[in-house]
Amino acid sequence: VHTAFGSSTLVKQIGVGGNGQVFEAKEADGEVFAIKFLVKNESAKKLKRFKNEINFCENHPHKNIVQILDRGYARFANVDYVFYVMPKYEKTLRQKMKDGMTSEEKVQIFIGILKGLKFAHEHKAIHRDIKPENILFKENSNEPIICDFGIAHFAEEDLLTVIETKLGDRMANFWYAAPEQYSRNENKVFYSTDIYSAALILNEMFTGEIPKASGYKKIQDVDENYKYLDEIFERLFKQNPDERLYPEDAIITEMKLLAVKHKNEQEIARLQSVIDDSITPEEFVPNI
């Protein structure tokens, strides 16, 4: 596979989705990358979205947004493809959840997701498909990388082609979709749409379940030390997008405040326990 400035050899397929397929590739010097391919003439809409995805990621670098290193065109078995080159990430969030993480690591990952979304939203891009499969990690890293902006709703100034991602278009994984993404009467999504999906991921990282209604499993049921996150989740898990805690800085600030409050409450409870366990002498008369 050739680009303007280099060439790589495909090793194996490592991913597939509605917007392309991903292969591991190796350059002549042995450096390993990932290459995402899309059939060029299969769908004009997908091709335009692929172009928008490349444009956004190339022009908006951030540590929590996938980096596009190169791009090009290839032909295999009489089929034309367009592609882009990105770093190879060893795991998705889905895999990390299966492997197991500490509660502290889960909070760290959630904050990283929020920071990536904050950056995207500040540049007027709504991802629309936040899910564990679209969160990547390098080996032994807890820094989340948001990928697959293929169905994102981009700001007009970021569109290289005239394309609008319609609400009715099928998403690869509807389990993490916000309520407004199901409505036939709604013709747009919101920045808080991504926040709703991220909140579902937060709860799932702790409980192993995806909340869809009342009576869901709570974080405090799994880890009492992080029960304050249930209050954060409840404020993000709102059916009305206008009622969700937003923007991302407000969410992170509330998390910090609630964490300190919870820690103080735990210390007060500990001290109270010490006092309750103390024995007061029967003849003791306090000198007041």
Side-chain angles (χ1 to χ4, degrees):
V1 178
H2 301 280
T3 65
F5 302 104
S7 61
S8 302
T9 301
L10 302 184
V11 178
K12 61 181 178 180
Q13 185 171 342
I14 56 176
V16 64
N19 296 304
Q21 47 190 321
V22 183
F23 283 78
E24 178 183 321
K26 184 179 293 186
E27 290 194 339
D29 61 4
E31 193 167 2
V32 176
F33 297 93
I35 300 181
K36 182 175 180 180
F37 291 90
L38 182 74
V39 177
K40 184 177 181 181
N41 300 317
E42 181 180 69
S43 168
K45 183 180 292 186
K46 286 184 178 181
L47 184 63
K48 291 173 183 178
R49 286 177 175 156
F50 199 72
K51 188 176 182 180
N52 291 334
E53 179 179 9
I54 292 173
N55 177 61
F56 179 79
C57 294
E58 282 185 337
N59 291 288
H60 301 91
H62 186 271
K63 68 176 183 177
N64 298 114
I65 302 291
V66 66
Q67 180 184 15
I68 291 182
L69 306 171
D70 208 344
R71 51 187 162 124
Y73 161 87
R75 185 175 179 84
F76 304 112
N78 296 320
V79 178
D80 295 324
Y81 296 85
V82 288
F83 66 86
Y84 65 74
V85 182
M86 63 181 182
K88 181 179 181 295
Y89 299 96
E90 282 68 32
K91 292 185 178 182
T92 66
L93 180 54
R94 176 72 64 205
Q95 293 166 321
K96 286 183 77 73
M97 286 194 289
K98 289 180 180 179
D99 293 343
M101 301 175 287
T102 67
S103 295
E104 184 177 350
E105 288 172 335
K106 295 168 187 175
V107 172
Q108 179 184 350
I109 289 170
F110 179 64
I111 290 176
I113 294 172
L114 290 179
K115 289 181 178 179
L117 290 176
K118 176 179 183 291
F119 179 82
H121 295 165
E122 286 175 344
H123 292 86
K124 297 181 172 60
I126 304 174
H127 189 282
R128 291 192 356 128
D129 195 21
I130 295 297
K131 58 185 180 182
E133 289 76 10
N134 284 340
I135 309 296
L136 306 178
F137 297 86
K138 297 294 287 184
E139 192 68 49
N140 300 319
S141 172
N142 290 315
E143 193 71 70
I145 310 296
I146 302 173
C147 72
D148 202 353
F149 281 79
I151 65 169
H153 173 91
F154 291 95
E156 185 175 352
E157 60 266 29
D158 285 326
L159 290 174
L160 294 181
T161 54
V162 180
I163 177 69
E164 181 70 19
T165 302
K166 296 181 180 178
L167 186 67
D169 291 343
R170 180 176 177 82
M171 289 174 293
N173 193 329
F174 58 86
W175 292 109
Y176 299 90
E180 59 269 20
Q181 292 178 277
Y182 291 99
S183 175
R184 292 180 179 274
N185 298 322
E186 190 65 63
N187 58 8
K188 63 180 179 178
V189 291
F190 309 87
Y191 296 127
S192 60
T193 298
D194 288 340
I195 296 301
Y196 183 95
S197 302
L200 294 179
I201 290 175
L202 172 65
N203 186 280
E204 185 185 11
M205 282 194 292
F206 278 89
T207 69
E209 299 178 4
I210 307 173
K212 278 299 174 185
S214 60
Y216 57 85
K217 190 174 183 179
K218 295 190 175 183
I219 293 173
Q220 68 175 351
D221 298 331
V222 178
D223 192 334
E224 181 71 17
N225 291 324
Y226 287 85
K227 70 176 185 179
Y228 66 89
L229 291 175
D230 284 322
E231 182 174 338
I232 292 293
F233 176 75
E234 289 173 4
R235 297 175 68 181
L236 303 179
F237 189 54
K238 298 290 187 181
Q239 300 301 292
N240 184 342
D242 293 333
E243 295 178 358
R244 294 172 198 150
L245 178 61
Y246 186 79
E248 291 83 2
D249 283 344
I251 299 171
I252 294 173
T253 298
E254 284 295 308
M255 286 178 65
K256 292 178 179 178
L257 292 174
L258 288 172
V260 171
K261 178 183 177 183
H262 179 64
K263 186 176 180 180
N264 291 339
E265 289 174 349
Q266 285 183 315
E267 181 62 15
I268 291 173
R270 186 191 69 81
L271 292 173
Q272 186 64 52
S273 176
V274 171
I275 294 171
D276 292 342
D277 290 341
S278 300
I279 300 175
T280 304
E282 293 181 2
E283 302 299 327
F284 175 72
V285 177
N287 182 16
I288 300 178

